[in-house]
Amino acid sequence: MRQKLLTGSESEEQEFLFNWTQYNINRLPGLELLFHVPNGGKRDTRTATALKRQGVKAGVPDLVLSVAKGGYHGAYIELKVGDNKPTTLQRIWLSNLALQGYFTKVCYGWKDAAETIERYLTEQIESI
């Protein structure tokens, strides 16, 4: 489901998603293993260079759910808002992760991501 937002940023949507996780963590076992990969954002050159030396890679999906379900090793989600589309590097990462047995999806807004995560954790997503 693609949700078009008039305002709001990916970081705001991500905050909404993690607020949702706090309300649902006891109801959905495994939800506590969801985390954000802080790969994006603007940084000064010195910090960006140091992070690159430490292994930060462009295109890595925003969210990782380290729970094996339904034939998948875990889930990777790229969170977008409005008309934003995944970059070429993001599409490559998602494709390569899917080839390795991970569930991958581009979600538009926190509600789409929450729905996807809930379906994944309750095994309502088709397996490989």
Side-chain angles (χ1 to χ4, degrees):
M1 158 173 76
R2 189 163 176 178
Q3 166 184 324
K4 185 163 182 162
L5 300 174
L6 298 175
T7 60
S9 65
E10 287 179 17
S11 57
E12 288 173 325
E13 291 293 304
Q14 198 159 279
E15 285 183 31
F16 291 143
L17 176 65
F18 278 91
N19 284 335
W20 172 84
T21 65
Q22 294 309 304
Y23 288 105
N24 290 282
I25 207 155
N26 293 324
R27 185 177 66 83
L28 295 168
L31 192 55
E32 70 278 5
L33 296 175
L34 176 69
F35 62 93
H36 166 60
V37 177
N39 236 17
K42 300 204 185 308
R43 298 180 173 96
D44 62 78
T45 305
R46 186 178 190 165
T47 302
T49 301
L51 289 171
K52 193 171 187 176
R53 283 195 311 263
Q54 295 167 25
V56 169
K57 294 183 179 184
V60 173
D62 295 313
L63 303 167
V64 179
L65 182 55
S66 299
V67 177
K69 286 280 185 180
Y72 295 105
H73 302 303
Y76 285 83
I77 294 173
E78 180 60 36
L79 186 62
K80 296 292 181 192
V81 296
D83 292 328
N84 290 346
K85 293 184 170 104
T87 66
T88 299
L89 281 174
Q90 289 169 336
R91 286 193 306 274
I92 290 169
W93 268 96
L94 291 168
S95 177
N96 287 338
L97 288 163
L99 289 171
Q100 294 300 316
Y102 292 93
F103 172 80
T104 63
K105 186 175 178 199
V106 176
C107 291
Y108 287 86
W110 78 269
K111 288 180 182 176
D112 185 21
E115 222 173 73
T116 298
I117 290 164
E118 183 165 355
R119 289 184 65 222
Y120 179 84
L121 288 173
T122 58
E123 298 190 61
Q124 295 177 30
I125 289 181
E126 293 180 23
S127 62
I128 298 170

